[in-house]
Amino acid sequence: MSDAAQFNVTLTARDLAVSRGGRVIVDGVNLVVGPGEAAVLRGPNGAGKTTLLRALAGLLAPASGEITVSAEDARIYCGVLNGGKPTLTVTENLRFWAALYGASFGPARAAFGLEPVEDRPMRELSTGYQRRLGLARLVVSGRAVWIVDEPTAGLDAASTTAFECLLAEHRARGGAAILATHEPLDAPGARTLELEQ
Amino acid sequence: MNALLAIIARDIRLAFRAGGGALQAVSFFALTIVLFALAVGPNLELMSEIAAPVLWTAALLATLISLEQIYRADREDGSLDVLVETSSLLALTALAKATAHWISTGLLLTAATPVLALLLNIEGAALWPLILSLLIGAPGLSLIGSFAAALTAALPRAGLLIAIIVSPLYAPILIFGAGAASAGAAGDPQYSANLALLGASSLFAAIFSPLASAAALRFNLD
């Protein structure tokens, strides 16, 4: 990873409320995530973690409040769904993403150890490998703000560690991250945001 | 531009993979025409009179059954989020999706038409107006259909709803398309008027569908 690709993006949410199906799911959220910082959302099922993440990623319009990002096209959202096509092979999925984000996919494939399965259709992969492919999109995108829902669900210990290392590397280069998880995650210096039901 | 071409290439590739809609549409098209030819029997005169309307109706129905998957599959596996997040203009992404659908169904049906037209006693000079009308009209079918698919992306089993939404919108294309093919075969001067109106319908769809699809997709993201 070169030092040239330094990120400098800050995401700010002010007094944010998000509703789904006409019902307010989360409100009063204030959050600032700057270069090198990370925030971890925690809370019971149904607390609105996914809804909040999707709003922060710009996929859901907030009911009130505002979200500002200091650069355009800086956010990448990786939800519980991996966003790949089941009938395409691992490499075909990665190549498609690389074309969309205008980047290369080689480093991402190596970072998540996907070479052994690169020619297999995604639907034939185990849950863990599918998740690794989904997470590889974060690296492919080259975007500054990672917004990830349950990053380590389905991952084995080694892959979880690999993700933690990549996250640390991303933050060291000035990247930011907002994660929602139920599992213990080693992210030094990350702020925790507790959501209540 | 690269991203749009990548979306078109990906969707065409998916259409020909297992579970893709391309072969389903073209088989349905062929089957309908074969069954129709069997049902009418050896009355060649009647056959050549109704051949163009039958072929156009079969093409429309074959397109219709392939619409449901255009956006629903992308929404179910999370790739719709990826498309939205990387899109500089969502209407252009929708146009790329509709283009891919046309190439993997409409263009394929048009390519299969010369063979199937033999069964309906369309030959020689009568074939060209039919092909031309499909080339002009089928993109309109995909454009309008992809709008209905975007509107119903979040609904399971939306097939019937899609059929209800597109039927009135498909009517002009069917009328002018079948009209142009029949008039062209008969040497009728209304041929060019029908073709022009068919082209206008497709062009209108090319403007309205991407914009309306983009709005519908935004609404269906949550």
Side-chain angles (χ1 to χ4, degrees):
Chain A
M1 300 285 168
S2 66
D3 288 329
Q6 287 285 333
F7 301 115
N8 186 12
V9 180
T10 304
L11 182 147
T12 314
R14 255 183 235 101
D15 204 20
L16 185 68
V18 194
S19 60
R20 248 183 113 176
R23 207 163 63 88
V24 176
I25 307 281
V26 280
D27 62 353
V29 174
N30 288 289
L31 185 68
V32 181
V33 186
E37 297 181 340
V40 178
L41 305 186
R42 295 191 182 273
N45 293 136
K49 298 187 293 296
T50 299
T51 306
L52 178 57
L53 284 182
R54 290 183 66 85
L56 291 172
L59 295 167
L60 272 183
S64 67
E66 59 168 359
I67 302 165
T68 47
V69 188
S70 61
E72 292 227 325
D73 289 339
R75 293 173 284 183
I76 173 163
Y77 174 73
C78 177
V80 177
L81 299 169
N82 291 313
K85 281 290 168 191
T87 50
L88 295 184
T89 67
V90 169
T91 303
E92 284 170 336
N93 271 307
L94 288 168
R95 187 174 293 130
F96 174 63
W97 292 336
L100 284 188
Y101 291 98
S104 65
F105 64 86
R109 184 170 56 185
F112 283 96
L114 290 166
E115 286 101 337
V117 294
E118 62 183 4
D119 292 323
R120 282 172 53 194
M122 188 181 174
R123 64 169 169 199
E124 287 178 15
L125 302 184
S126 69
T127 311
Y129 264 115
Q130 291 193 12
R131 190 59 183 156
R132 279 152 76 168
L133 177 57
L135 292 173
R137 190 164 57 85
L138 296 170
V139 178
V140 172
S141 76
R143 290 194 172 181
V145 185
W146 290 4
I147 299 173
V148 196
D149 202 356
E150 299 286 353
T152 55
L155 292 187
D156 58 22
S159 305
T160 302
T161 310
F163 174 73
E164 286 165 350
C165 289
L166 282 165
L167 181 63
E169 214 172 275
H170 177 67
R171 290 171 63 195
R173 289 191 295 138
I178 305 169
L179 316 162
T181 185
H182 293 287
E183 290 168 42
L185 188 76
D186 182 29
R191 258 166 303 137
T192 304
L193 187 68
E194 290 282 350
L195 294 182
E196 286 156 24
Q197 197 134 22
Chain B
M1 195 62 209
N2 267 345
L4 296 179
L5 291 177
I7 292 170
I8 295 174
R10 180 198 74 152
D11 272 21
I12 293 172
R13 182 173 287 169
L14 287 171
F16 288 95
R17 287 279 158 91
L23 293 176
Q24 192 191 12
V26 78
S27 322
F28 182 89
F29 182 58
L31 200 64
T32 313
I33 288 169
V34 169
L35 291 176
F36 190 85
L38 288 174
V40 171
N43 188 341
L44 290 184
E45 209 167 298
L46 173 66
M47 188 75 99
S48 39
E49 218 163 279
I50 56 175
V54 165
L55 219 135
W56 254 96
T57 310
L60 189 150
L61 292 175
T63 307
L64 190 59
I65 59 164
S66 64
L67 294 177
E68 198 180 342
Q69 286 303 318
I70 298 181
Y71 286 109
R72 220 188 69 201
D74 282 348
R75 192 178 179 278
E76 279 172 358
D77 60 28
S79 50
L80 188 57
D81 290 341
V82 182
L83 292 178
V84 170
E85 160 181 290
T86 54
S87 171
S88 47
L89 194 59
L90 199 51
L92 284 179
T93 305
L95 184 62
K97 293 278 292 178
T99 306
H101 182 263
W102 169 66
I103 294 172
S104 57
T105 56
L107 195 58
L108 206 61
L109 301 184
T110 311
T113 295
V115 180
L116 293 166
L118 287 176
L119 287 172
L120 299 178
N121 198 32
I122 305 179
E123 283 179 287
L127 186 59
W128 293 110
L130 181 61
I131 302 279
L132 193 58
S133 67
L134 282 171
L135 276 176
I136 297 174
L141 297 180
S142 288
L143 285 159
I144 293 171
S146 64
F147 159 64
L151 209 54
T152 57
L155 302 175
R157 294 180 211 285
L160 179 63
L161 189 57
I162 288 178
I164 292 170
I165 294 170
V166 298
S167 293
L169 299 171
Y170 273 2
I173 294 184
L174 180 67
I175 292 167
F176 299 133
S182 298
D188 192 314
Q190 281 183 355
Y191 174 46
S192 48
N194 270 308
L195 271 190
L197 286 167
L198 181 64
S201 307
S202 278
L203 281 177
F204 175 71
I207 304 295
F208 124 89
S209 158
L211 296 172
S213 301
L217 288 175
R218 289 235 174 259
F219 187 77
N220 273 329
L221 272 178
D222 64 336

